[in-house]
Every structure is written in structure tokens, then in C-alpha cells.
Amino acid sequence: MNVTIAEEVLLLALGEEDGRQLIPSMQLDSALGGAILAELAVKERLTLTGKKVTVVNSAPLGDDELDAVLTRIAGDGKERRPEWWVQKLYSGKLRKRLLERLAARGTLTEQRAKVLGLFPTTRWPEADGSVEAEVRARVAAALAGSDPDAATAVLVAVLHAAKLDRKAFPGADPKRVKEIAEGQWAGDAVAKLISTINSAIMVAVTTAAVGAATSSTGS
């Protein structure tokens, strides 16, 4: 089963047994948007710099979510910063589509209920833990000192930017997480990608938080 980096982030962001989110939706949605961009860069469809996102290869990858974003960026025709696209992709709709896709594959189970018998809620506990187990094994090896591949490094960087690393891997050495998240082990191209996506997610999270606070204050 081909699992995207965004789906890996999502699996690590949910409690394995109860399916509860470990971080607020604001942080998680920014992380998912950043992960989509980063994967397109890892797969050499985009280049990311601090100032712009550029399509270098518009050939589809065969994944609906990745291809939809690639087509959207290619057809935009304007020079946009990575954080602009992360914010544009920031949406509970993306999260829901990925959750439903993981449920359709048998990785998660959708459980609907009502809080206090009134307020509907949905949780997504694991049905098949093998997918997350493989992801955790890769990340654990990197955190233990092995040089990660680009996709695993990007995953760690996204987790770190969204402050999910400490929730998903509470025993991890913060220094090692930072080394990977800052690309200190990698060549220039991968290091720049990791740094750019890290910054873009942090900006998106901050912008969303400010917007939510302003909206709350004004209401």
C-alpha cells in the first residue's frame, strides 16, 4: 500500500486505540498541507524556496491528492510562497478526505457518536496497525541515529513544525529531532527543502492562530 507523507502524519496524529487527535486541528491541517507540498518536492514535481513554489514536472504521480495539488499549482500562473500554498491547502476537508481514504483501505475505522447525547463527534481508531508500525519503525531508526531518506526526514520536520513530534514520540531526544528537522545531516538540496517546508508550516500555524484569535475577539 502506498501511503503519502500526509497520511503518515495523520496516522501519527491520532491515538491508536481511541482515534483522538493529539494536536489541535489548526496545527494538524497546516502539517497536512505542508506534507503534500513536501512530497511533491521529494518526488521532483516541485522546487521550493523561501520565496516561491515552482512546478518542474507536471506529470501525474497516480495519487488523487498529490495530483490535484500539482495541477492546481501548475495552473495558478502566479509566483506564490510555500506558506501561501500551505495556508491554501489548510482545510478540514483535506483531513477528512485523507481519513476517509485510510478508512476505505482498512487502516482506520470511522466511529461516530454524540457527546452528551447531543453533539456529533467522529473518531478514527486503527483497524490495521501495520501501516503506522512501519512508519514508526522508520522514524525510530532515524531518531536512533540512522541517516533517514528524504521522505522520512521531511516527515520528522513536519512533525516538529506542528509540535507533533513530542506527542507521537515522547521519548525522542529533542536534539536529534532538531538535527533532522533542520537537515543538518543532509545534502544542500534536501536541507533547503526541509528548512523551507518547516518554516512554511510554522508561518501557516501562526497565521491561522492569529486569524482565529482575531475572529474570536471580534465576535
Side-chain angles (χ1 to χ4, degrees):
M1 180 192 302
N2 292 324
V3 182
T4 64
I5 297 173
E7 287 170 318
E8 292 177 343
V9 171
L10 194 50
L11 287 173
L12 294 171
L14 298 173
E16 295 174 18
E17 295 183 3
D18 61 14
R20 290 175 180 267
Q21 283 182 200
L22 302 179
I23 58 174
S25 295
M26 186 185 304
Q27 291 168 224
L28 179 54
D29 289 340
S30 294
L32 297 177
I36 293 279
L37 276 190
E39 182 149 6
L40 288 169
V42 168
K43 294 184 180 297
E44 300 181 341
R45 295 305 191 268
L46 305 176
T47 57
L48 306 178
T49 67
K51 294 184 178 180
K52 63 179 179 178
V53 175
T54 304
V55 175
V56 293
N57 182 353
S58 59
L61 291 160
D63 180 278
D64 290 346
E65 293 295 336
L66 294 175
D67 290 343
V69 173
L70 180 60
T71 299
R72 186 175 180 182
I73 295 173
D76 182 64
K78 295 183 180 180
E79 188 173 292
R80 312 277 195 186
R81 290 177 177 270
E83 58 266 28
W84 190 92
W85 280 110
V86 170
Q87 291 170 42
K88 202 68 176 176
L89 298 173
Y90 174 99
S91 165
K93 293 180 180 179
L94 170 61
R95 175 167 27 103
K96 191 171 189 298
R97 288 197 304 271
L98 293 177
L99 286 166
E100 290 175 345
R101 190 161 81 163
L102 287 166
R105 292 173 179 169
T107 304
L108 299 177
T109 298
E110 181 179 6
Q111 292 184 350
R112 298 185 180 184
K114 287 188 177 181
V115 178
L116 302 177
L118 296 173
F119 307 105
T121 182
T122 305
R123 297 179 185 172
W124 302 85
E126 285 190 350
D128 176 6
S130 64
V131 179
E132 182 177 346
E134 188 278 330
V135 176
R136 285 187 170 277
R138 278 181 20 238
V139 174
L143 294 175
S146 298
D147 283 345
D149 59 20
T152 303
V154 164
L155 172 59
V156 173
V158 170
L159 297 177
H160 182 62
K163 295 182 172 57
L164 178 55
D165 55 313
R166 62 194 73 175
K167 299 279 190 179
F169 297 91
D173 179 359
K175 183 178 179 181
R176 177 57 180 164
V177 172
K178 188 176 180 181
E179 285 176 355
I180 298 173
E182 293 181 351
Q184 295 179 14
W185 55 274
D188 286 347
V190 175
K192 287 178 181 177
L193 164 60
I194 292 170
S195 175
T196 299
I197 207 66
N198 205 344
S199 298
I201 292 170
M202 289 180 176
V203 169
V205 169
T206 302
T207 302
V210 171
T214 301
S215 175
S216 175
T217 302
S219 61

